[in-house]
Amino acid sequence: MSMREGAARKPAGNESTIDLTPMLDVVFIMLIFFIVTSSFVKEPGVELMKPQATTTEACERGTIIFAVDSRGEIHYDKNRVSLDRAMRLAEAAKKEAPQANVVVQVDRETPAYVVEQLIDELRPMLTAPPCISTDDEV
Protein backbone atom coordinates (compact mmCIF):
# COMPACT_ATOMS: atom_id res chain seq x y z
CA MET A 1 0.00 0.00 0.00
CA SER A 2 1.45 3.31 -1.01
CA MET A 3 1.21 6.60 0.85
CA ARG A 4 -1.15 7.92 -1.69
CA GLU A 5 -3.68 5.17 -1.14
CA GLY A 6 -3.53 5.61 2.67
CA ALA A 7 -4.20 9.34 2.38
CA ALA A 8 -7.19 8.77 0.09
CA ARG A 9 -8.96 6.53 2.55
CA LYS A 10 -10.66 8.14 5.56
CA PRO A 11 -9.82 6.74 8.96
CA ALA A 12 -12.61 4.93 10.76
CA GLY A 13 -12.40 7.22 13.89
CA ASN A 14 -14.74 9.98 15.12
CA GLU A 15 -13.93 12.78 12.73
CA SER A 16 -17.33 14.51 12.67
CA THR A 17 -17.40 18.29 12.73
CA ILE A 18 -20.12 20.66 13.84
CA ASP A 19 -20.80 23.80 11.86
CA LEU A 20 -21.47 26.60 14.37
CA THR A 21 -22.23 29.26 11.78
CA PRO A 22 -26.06 28.96 11.95
CA MET A 23 -26.01 29.07 15.74
CA LEU A 24 -23.83 32.19 15.73
CA ASP A 25 -26.16 33.81 13.20
CA VAL A 26 -29.13 33.22 15.51
CA VAL A 27 -27.23 34.57 18.53
CA PHE A 28 -26.26 37.76 16.70
CA ILE A 29 -29.78 38.28 15.39
CA MET A 30 -31.16 37.89 18.93
CA LEU A 31 -28.54 40.29 20.28
CA ILE A 32 -29.44 42.91 17.70
CA PHE A 33 -33.14 42.43 18.42
CA PHE A 34 -32.70 42.95 22.18
CA ILE A 35 -30.48 46.00 21.69
CA VAL A 36 -32.94 47.64 19.30
CA THR A 37 -36.05 46.92 21.38
CA SER A 38 -34.63 47.76 24.80
CA SER A 39 -35.24 51.07 26.50
CA PHE A 40 -32.55 52.49 28.69
CA VAL A 41 -33.49 54.09 31.99
CA LYS A 42 -31.79 57.36 32.75
CA GLU A 43 -31.04 57.38 36.46
CA PRO A 44 -31.26 60.71 38.27
CA GLY A 45 -27.84 60.19 39.85
CA VAL A 46 -28.48 61.52 43.35
CA GLU A 47 -28.60 59.62 46.65
CA LEU A 48 -31.92 59.99 48.43
CA MET A 49 -33.37 58.80 51.71
CA LYS A 50 -36.80 57.88 50.37
CA PRO A 51 -39.80 58.08 52.69
CA GLN A 52 -41.30 54.79 53.83
CA ALA A 53 -44.80 53.72 52.86
CA THR A 54 -47.05 51.03 54.28
CA THR A 55 -48.97 50.55 51.04
CA THR A 56 -47.26 50.52 47.69
CA GLU A 57 -48.20 49.84 44.08
CA ALA A 58 -45.85 49.12 41.24
CA CYS A 59 -45.58 51.90 38.71
CA GLU A 60 -46.18 50.49 35.27
CA ARG A 61 -43.88 51.69 32.50
CA GLY A 62 -42.21 54.25 34.75
CA THR A 63 -39.04 55.07 32.89
CA ILE A 64 -38.85 58.88 33.00
CA ILE A 65 -37.27 59.40 36.41
CA PHE A 66 -36.82 62.75 38.12
CA ALA A 67 -35.37 63.16 41.61
CA VAL A 68 -35.87 66.04 44.01
CA ASP A 69 -33.27 66.19 46.78
CA SER A 70 -33.57 67.62 50.28
CA ARG A 71 -32.54 71.11 49.06
CA GLY A 72 -35.34 71.16 46.47
CA GLU A 73 -33.04 70.68 43.47
CA ILE A 74 -34.36 68.64 40.54
CA HIS A 75 -32.12 65.97 38.99
CA TYR A 76 -32.45 64.07 35.71
CA ASP A 77 -29.91 61.79 34.04
CA LYS A 78 -27.19 62.58 36.63
CA ASN A 79 -27.54 66.34 36.09
CA ARG A 80 -29.20 69.08 38.07
CA VAL A 81 -31.90 70.73 35.95
CA SER A 82 -34.17 73.72 36.29
CA LEU A 83 -37.94 73.45 36.44
CA ASP A 84 -38.51 74.70 32.87
CA ARG A 85 -35.79 72.40 31.48
CA ALA A 86 -37.47 69.43 33.20
CA MET A 87 -40.47 69.82 30.90
CA ARG A 88 -38.31 69.82 27.76
CA LEU A 89 -36.38 66.76 28.95
CA ALA A 90 -39.60 64.91 29.76
CA GLU A 91 -41.04 65.73 26.33
CA ALA A 92 -37.89 64.42 24.64
CA ALA A 93 -37.98 61.24 26.72
CA LYS A 94 -41.68 60.80 25.94
CA LYS A 95 -40.90 60.95 22.20
CA GLU A 96 -38.36 58.14 22.64
CA ALA A 97 -40.75 56.00 24.72
CA PRO A 98 -44.39 57.09 24.24
CA GLN A 99 -45.71 54.56 26.76
CA ALA A 100 -43.35 55.73 29.52
CA ASN A 101 -44.69 57.12 32.76
CA VAL A 102 -43.09 59.74 35.00
CA VAL A 103 -41.57 58.69 38.33
CA VAL A 104 -40.58 61.28 40.91
CA GLN A 105 -38.09 60.21 43.55
CA VAL A 106 -38.11 62.36 46.66
CA ASP A 107 -36.02 62.62 49.79
CA ARG A 108 -37.57 62.57 53.26
CA GLU A 109 -36.63 66.24 53.64
CA THR A 110 -37.75 67.37 50.17
CA PRO A 111 -39.90 70.52 50.23
CA ALA A 112 -43.40 69.52 49.08
CA TYR A 113 -43.90 72.70 47.04
CA VAL A 114 -40.99 71.76 44.72
CA VAL A 115 -42.54 68.35 43.98
CA GLU A 116 -45.90 70.06 43.38
CA GLN A 117 -44.30 72.57 41.00
CA LEU A 118 -42.54 69.77 39.11
CA ILE A 119 -45.74 67.74 38.70
CA ASP A 120 -47.68 70.85 37.66
CA GLU A 121 -45.00 71.60 35.06
CA LEU A 122 -45.14 68.03 33.68
CA ARG A 123 -48.94 67.69 33.83
CA PRO A 124 -49.66 68.66 30.16
CA MET A 125 -47.61 65.72 28.83
CA LEU A 126 -48.74 63.10 31.38
CA THR A 127 -50.88 60.21 30.15
CA ALA A 128 -51.18 58.70 33.64
CA PRO A 129 -50.72 60.06 37.16
CA PRO A 130 -47.03 60.37 38.08
CA CYS A 131 -45.57 57.82 40.49
CA ILE A 132 -43.79 58.80 43.70
CA SER A 133 -40.98 56.41 44.58
CA THR A 134 -40.86 55.21 48.21
CA ASP A 135 -39.20 52.52 50.30
CA ASP A 136 -41.17 49.66 51.82
CA GLU A 137 -41.84 49.97 55.52
CA VAL A 138 -39.85 47.50 57.60
Side-chain angles (χ1 to χ4, degrees):
M1 172 180 347
S2 71
M3 271 263 245
R4 202 173 269 187
E5 289 175 14
R9 285 190 298 166
K10 291 187 178 183
N14 285 337
E15 293 247 351
S16 62
T17 59
I18 298 174
D19 186 15
L20 296 177
T21 306
M23 184 181 74
L24 290 174
D25 288 344
V26 169
V27 169
F28 282 122
I29 289 171
M30 288 175 51
L31 179 67
I32 291 169
F33 172 77
F34 288 124
I35 289 172
V36 169
T37 60
S38 66
S39 62
F40 298 99
V41 176
K42 295 180 179 178
E43 293 290 328
V46 65
E47 287 293 321
L48 301 172
M49 293 295 293
K50 295 179 189 173
Q52 293 181 343
T54 55
T55 60
T56 60
E57 286 183 29
C59 184
E60 296 190 22
R61 298 184 305 268
T63 55
I64 304 172
I65 303 174
F66 287 95
V68 183
D69 64 12
S70 60
R71 295 181 304 244
E73 296 174 343
I74 301 169
H75 299 268
Y76 179 78
D77 193 21
K78 299 179 182 155
N79 296 314
R80 196 180 77 154
V81 296
S82 62
L83 189 61
D84 58 335
R85 183 157 160 70
M87 179 61 174
R88 291 192 303 268
L89 290 169
E91 285 175 341
K94 196 73 167 172
K95 285 180 184 175
E96 287 180 19
Q99 298 296 322
N101 195 11
V102 174
V103 176
V104 179
Q105 296 178 345
V106 296
D107 192 84
R108 292 179 184 164
E109 304 294 322
T110 297
Y113 73 91
V114 177
V115 177
E116 185 179 350
Q117 287 175 342
L118 176 62
I119 291 173
D120 284 344
E121 187 74 22
L122 300 177
R123 194 172 311 278
M125 55 133 319
L126 294 177
T127 55
C131 300
I132 304 293
S133 180
T134 60
D135 282 335
D136 292 331
E137 190 174 67
V138 257

